[in-house]
């Protein structure tokens, strides 16, 4: 059982359920509830701020104006470190509050832990009781001895949890995960509804600190993740934890285009319990000895890739704030191409492309890529679902009237289909034209012969008298061929193929 937040000191473990994605998803992280610690002690526990270049990255960007959706168990926006951070929310489970700010599911505190690591503002130190001069002597001495706070001017103050992107805006989407939903809305319905809502409400980054034991996902998820891809949204998901029963990453980490995060221990090595391995892992980040905020203003030590994921999502928000015109594919490429290689050279199933380096991701010169280096759900759908991807949806204004274009759109000429074999019409046309051509040529030849014979007859009458012995005079009157056959006479003439007359 999980201990209540109001009973400090008790321990509880938040385990990822090893269940099929079609039945339930689980949040991935182990927590150790702790009393409301002193603010400076909480901040001092955040070793990753220096070790992973986050404080240096703040000199370039703090995530100003970027909306990040946290699809989780709900986020307590009243936590001191989240004051002003949550700008919108919803519930897709049917069992939470309408604004997504009430913790629900098997681990209701999970979403607040994630949100503080991602975009916590911290808060100002509490003031001690002062004497009539405004400060007691002990406080004056402490102020003189205390070094300048590292995070002065960052967030809302130097106490509490400061997130990777302390000026980013959060959207909370509450989902019921890890146990049967009393409202009856299945996880197959909740996840796509959550993703679509986040996209429609302006999220440029989506954090999903949840996983399953199945590498596959329901087909109805395709459309939601495609919608996010088409609208240029970065999705970051947890790889899962071996300690929670996840030996290999499951959906949504396995969905093409999703940046999957593996976990590291405090020494920067692959975590044995707070991580899983998979060929889909993109980058590795701290997943052990983490500290985050709990609902009700408390704090907790915890571990798991649930905590590593918002650290990477925070870096994505820093990049999107600094380079607002940069595509989601370029953001992902910056994170993985600037990661410090670990394990075997190149990409591997434990560290992915390497260990997160926030400063380099913000400032390094990175080559432009033509596509998301961790894949495309659009291409996957075309290949594996045997269907064509629909074009990106466009939002039409209300009461829009469709009008005919003023100028007809150009069309591509289409060749006529070849006629089928056995169609006699073309043959009839060709033969008909052939017969007409032959007739014309034959008439021409006949007229030529007649003219020559007439000319020869006139010439013979002038030079020669008629004979009575029937001797051939060399001239034959122009009579038809059948008559010639009857008289036994013969004459050479054209063959009908265009040859000239021949003399005997």
């Amino acid at each position: 059982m999980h201990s209540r937040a109001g009973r400090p000191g008790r321990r509880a473990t938040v385990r990822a359920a090893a269940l099929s994605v079609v039945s339930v998803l689980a949040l991935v992280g182990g927590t150790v509830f702790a009393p409301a610690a002193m603010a400076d002690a909480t901040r001092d526990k955040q070793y990753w701020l220096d070790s992973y270049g986050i404080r240096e990255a703040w000199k370039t960007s703090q995530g100003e104006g970027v909306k990040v959706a946290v699809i989780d168990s709900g986020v307590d926006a009243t936590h001191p470190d989240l004051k002003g951070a949550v700008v919108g929310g919803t519930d897709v489970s049917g069992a939470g509050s309408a604004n997504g700010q009430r913790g629900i599911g098997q681990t209701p505190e999970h979403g607040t832990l994630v949100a503080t690591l991602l975009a916590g503002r911290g808060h100002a130190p509490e003031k001690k009781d002062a004497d009539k001069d405004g400060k007691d002597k002990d406080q004056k001495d402490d102020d003189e001895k205390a070094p300048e706070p590292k995070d002065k001017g960052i967030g809302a103050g130097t106490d509490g949890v400061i997130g990777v992107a302390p000026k980013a805006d959060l959207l909370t989407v509450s989902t019921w995960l890890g146990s049967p939903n009393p409202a009856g809305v299945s996880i197959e319905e909740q996840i796509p509804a959550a993703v679509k809502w986040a996209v429609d409400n302006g999220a440029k980054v989506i954090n999903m600190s949840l996983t399953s034991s199945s590498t596959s996902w329901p087909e109805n998820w395709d459309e939601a993740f495609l919608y996010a891809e088409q609208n240029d949204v970065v999705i970051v998901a947890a790889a899962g934890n071996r300690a929670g029963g996840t030996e290999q990453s499951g959906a949504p980490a396995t969905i093409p285009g999703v940046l999957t995060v593996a976990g590291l221990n405090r020494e920067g090595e692959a975590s044995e319990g707070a991580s899983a391995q998979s060929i889909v892992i993109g980058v590795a980040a701290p997943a052990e000895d983490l500290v985050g905020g709990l609902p009700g203003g408390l704090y907790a030590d915890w571990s798991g890739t649930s905590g590593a994921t918002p650290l990477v999502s925070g870096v994505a928000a820093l990049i999107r704030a600094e380079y607002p015109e940069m595509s989601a594919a370029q953001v992902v490429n910056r994170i993985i191409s600037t990661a410090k290689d670990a394990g075997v050279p190149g990409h591997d199933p434990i560290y992915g492309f390497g260990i997160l380096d926030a400063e380099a991701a913000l400032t390094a010169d990175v080559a432009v890529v033509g596509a998301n280096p961790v894949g495309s759900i659009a291409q996957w759908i075309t290949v594996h679902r045997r269907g064509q991807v629909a074009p990106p949806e466009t939002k039409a204004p209300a009461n829009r009237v469709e009008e005919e274009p003023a100028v007809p759109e150009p069309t591509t000429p289409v060749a006529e289909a070849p006629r089928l074999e056995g169609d006699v019409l073309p043959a009839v046309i060709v033969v008909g034209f052939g017969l007409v051509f032959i007739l014309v040529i034959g008439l021409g030849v006949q007229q030529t012969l007649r003219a020559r014979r007439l000319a020869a007859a006139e010439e013979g009458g002038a030079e020669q008298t008629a004979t009575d012995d029937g001797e051939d005079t060399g001239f034959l009157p122009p009579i038809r061929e059948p008559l010639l056959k009857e008289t036994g006479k013969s004459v050479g003439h054209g063959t009908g193929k265009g040859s000239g007359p021949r003399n005997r």
Side-chain angles (χ1 to χ4, degrees):
M1 298 290 294
H2 300 295
S3 64
R4 295 180 180 179
R7 299 181 65 180
R10 291 192 61 184
R11 292 174 174 245
T13 302
V14 180
R15 294 185 177 180
L19 299 175
S20 170
V21 68
V22 297
S23 61
V24 69
L25 283 175
L27 303 168
V28 282
T31 64
V32 179
F33 294 150
M38 292 183 62
D40 54 354
T42 300
R43 185 66 59 87
D44 288 344
K45 290 182 177 182
Q46 295 186 256
Y47 65 90
W48 54 90
L49 297 178
D50 289 316
S51 300
Y52 293 83
I54 294 168
R55 280 197 172 98
E56 289 299 315
W58 287 340
K59 296 176 182 178
T60 302
S61 170
Q62 294 179 37
E64 299 88 338
V66 176
K67 287 184 179 180
V68 183
V70 178
I71 298 177
D72 214 285
S73 64
V75 175
D76 178 13
T78 67
H79 193 285
D81 297 343
L82 293 175
K83 186 177 181 180
V86 179
V87 298
T90 192
D91 172 70
V92 295
S93 71
S97 61
N99 61 6
Q101 294 184 19
R102 180 170 67 86
I104 59 174
Q106 187 179 39
T107 53
E109 69 281 349
H110 194 273
T112 304
L113 286 161
V114 169
T116 51
L117 277 180
L118 199 162
R121 269 79 163 137
H123 61 269
E126 295 181 3
K127 294 182 179 179
K128 295 180 180 180
D129 293 335
D131 59 15
K132 62 181 179 180
D133 294 330
K135 289 185 178 181
D136 58 30
K137 183 176 183 302
D138 291 339
Q139 183 178 354
K140 291 180 180 179
D141 292 341
D142 289 343
D143 289 346
E144 291 175 358
K145 296 177 181 178
E148 186 75 12
K150 287 184 178 181
D151 302 328
K152 185 176 181 180
I154 304 295
T158 58
D159 284 4
V161 176
I162 189 80
V164 175
K167 290 186 178 180
D169 297 323
L170 293 179
L171 299 172
T172 171
V173 187
S174 60
T175 56
W176 192 287
L177 305 176
S179 63
N181 181 5
V185 182
S186 68
I187 196 62
E188 295 99 310
E189 299 173 82
Q190 292 183 62
I191 293 301
V195 172
K196 287 184 177 180
W197 185 92
V199 175
D200 287 339
N201 285 270
K204 301 305 293 180
V205 180
I206 295 177
N207 186 92
M208 304 184 78
S209 292
L210 44 89
T211 192
S212 73
S213 62
S214 174
T215 58
S216 61
W217 57 93
E219 188 170 343
N220 69 321
W221 288 19
D222 291 354
E223 183 181 354
F225 283 84
L226 174 63
Y227 187 53
E229 181 175 288
Q230 291 173 335
N231 284 275
D232 200 43
V233 179
V234 176
I235 299 181
V236 186
N241 306 332
R242 277 185 286 268
T246 304
E247 293 294 331
Q248 182 176 340
S249 299
T254 53
I255 297 177
V258 172
L259 178 57
T260 303
V261 183
L264 304 171
N265 61 23
R266 187 156 186 159
E267 287 69 42
E269 301 169 341
S271 174
E272 293 184 5
S275 189
Q277 67 180 37
S278 175
I279 60 172
V280 300
I281 289 174
V283 69
E288 292 186 15
D289 296 329
L290 305 176
V291 61
L294 289 173
L298 301 180
Y299 298 91
D301 296 326
W302 66 315
S303 62
T305 50
S306 276
T309 302
L311 300 184
V312 176
S313 293
V315 173
L318 299 183
I319 297 172
R320 303 221 83 163
E322 178 65 13
Y323 308 103
E325 302 302 320
M326 186 174 288
S327 69
Q330 302 299 335
V331 173
V332 172
N333 184 56
R334 272 193 161 268
I335 292 173
I336 65 175
S337 63
T338 58
K340 298 176 181 177
D341 193 22
V344 299
H347 183 268
D348 65 73
I350 297 177
Y351 296 93
F353 290 94
I355 297 172
L356 179 69
D357 186 337
E359 181 186 10
L362 264 294
T363 61
D365 291 330
V366 177
V368 175
V369 294
N372 191 332
V374 295
S376 166
I377 184 64
Q379 294 179 357
W380 189 93
I381 291 171
T382 300
V383 173
H384 296 277
R385 302 297 191 199
R386 304 297 183 185
Q388 294 297 320
V389 173
E393 295 182 16
T394 56
K395 299 175 183 178
N399 301 322
R400 177 182 175 185
V401 178
E402 295 290 341
E403 297 181 355
E404 292 295 330
V407 180
E409 295 185 359
T411 58
T412 302
V414 178
E416 294 184 3
R419 295 185 183 273
L420 299 176
E421 293 182 5
D423 191 344
V424 298
L425 181 58
V428 170
I429 294 174
V430 172
V431 171
F433 276 107
L435 292 174
V436 172
F437 178 75
I438 293 171
L439 180 59
V440 171
I441 295 299
L443 291 174
V445 171
Q446 185 179 18
Q447 292 301 320
T448 301
L449 289 174
R450 180 175 296 175
R452 291 187 178 182
R453 287 168 183 165
L454 288 175
E458 292 176 359
E459 182 180 354
E463 298 177 356
Q464 177 177 341
T465 61
T467 61
D468 55 2
D469 56 359
E471 184 182 354
D472 192 351
T473 63
F475 166 73
L476 185 66
I479 58 177
R480 296 184 181 275
E481 184 176 352
L483 183 57
L484 292 175
K485 293 180 179 178
E486 293 175 2
T487 59
K489 301 290 184 178
S490 65
V491 64
H493 59 83
T495 63
K497 298 182 181 179
S499 59
R502 294 180 296 174
N503 295 327
R504 274 173 44 180

